[in-house]
Amino acid sequence: MLRRMAILKIARLGHPVLYRRAEPIDDPTAPELRRLVADMIETLEDAGGVGLAAPQVHVPLRIFLYRVPEQRASHGEAARPLSVVINPEVVERSAETESDWEGCLSIPGFSALVERPAQIALRGVDGAGKRFTRRAAGFHARVIQHEADHLDGILYPDRLTDPRAMGFTEEMGRYGDDIAASLRRRGPESAAAGATRSGGMQDD
Ligand code: NI
């Protein structure tokens, strides 16, 4: 039997599904959920992103996918293949924060400097229905927090380090370092303090 998968349409900034709190998943092993995961994987691969949350494909459920590409792994962590996270809870957040560049498949063409806790602990259920707790740092912690925010109706413009540190990816690639440096000089205290350019900007 031919297995049919589909590339799903991605909701863009302004669509109400992105601002709604997503619903918990009762049965992480339900066949419909497996189909959704397969379609989300195909959609993410097609879009070339590093993360995708269900509300971004117009499904208001608490599930997201993410991966950590080799060139983004930091803080002594290894790259991570694609993970499925169901009913996630960020249960710990470090006081220490970092600013780094983020993109989002729902905000195509744009990048921004976003300040987030540098380390977190994530609790959730994996694609096989097993509960897990996972610690994450650096980009790994960032992508998890970005995707978990999607499930609470939060997009990265709500968390900008500074409104001036958002622009077209092309322009930020050219001028982002200067913008981060000028924010650092001007303060406030932690703005862009830990800004690093660990790799190309990627869409989460
Ligand atoms: Ni996103």
Side-chain angles (χ1 to χ4, degrees):
M1 180 77 190
L2 197 64
R3 211 181 157 291
R4 285 174 45 195
M5 293 195 292
I7 293 169
L8 306 171
K9 187 175 179 194
I10 296 177
R12 295 194 302 174
L13 187 68
H15 194 292
V17 73
L18 296 174
Y19 307 110
R20 194 186 301 163
R21 192 180 154 80
E23 296 295 323
I25 290 169
D26 293 332
D27 179 4
T29 59
E32 312 87 79
L33 198 67
R34 280 179 204 281
R35 264 196 303 279
L36 172 66
V37 167
D39 289 346
M40 284 177 67
I41 291 171
E42 207 182 11
T43 303
L44 181 62
E45 296 305 334
D46 176 69
V50 293
L52 183 69
Q56 291 183 276
V57 291
H58 306 82
V59 178
L61 290 176
R62 302 187 79 76
I63 177 170
F64 65 76
L65 313 176
Y66 78 93
R67 61 192 173 86
V68 178
E70 193 98 52
Q71 70 273 21
R72 299 304 302 268
S74 63
H75 297 64
E77 291 193 346
R80 290 190 72 96
L82 201 64
S83 280
V84 177
V85 185
I86 296 165
N87 296 338
E89 277 176 276
V90 177
V91 289
E92 283 172 40
R93 292 176 176 83
S94 63
E96 182 206 343
T97 63
E98 285 177 350
S99 286
D100 206 347
W101 297 93
E102 291 187 18
C104 180
L105 292 174
S106 294
I107 313 175
F110 282 84
S111 295
L113 206 51
V114 181
E115 186 172 4
R116 297 190 187 270
Q119 285 105 32
I120 59 145
L122 171 72
R123 206 179 279 159
V125 176
D126 69 15
K130 251 183 75 183
R131 293 198 62 83
F132 68 85
T133 303
R134 185 175 298 166
R135 294 192 171 278
F139 177 81
H140 187 197
R142 177 170 299 277
V143 66
I144 287 171
Q145 292 176 86
H146 177 116
E147 300 311 328
D149 270 355
H150 274 300
L151 307 186
D152 292 330
I154 296 167
L155 297 170
Y156 76 66
D158 295 320
R159 299 201 185 277
L160 293 185
T161 299
D162 185 291
R164 282 160 289 198
M166 177 175 177
F168 288 102
T169 300
E170 215 172 289
E171 310 301 339
M172 293 298 103
R174 209 172 297 159
Y175 307 116
D177 282 342
D178 294 343
I179 292 170
S182 77
L183 293 176
R184 211 154 35 229
R185 275 196 302 278
R186 198 169 45 226
E189 59 292 343
S190 62
T196 52
R197 297 293 296 279
S198 43
M201 296 167 200
Q202 294 192 34
D203 291 327
D204 303 338

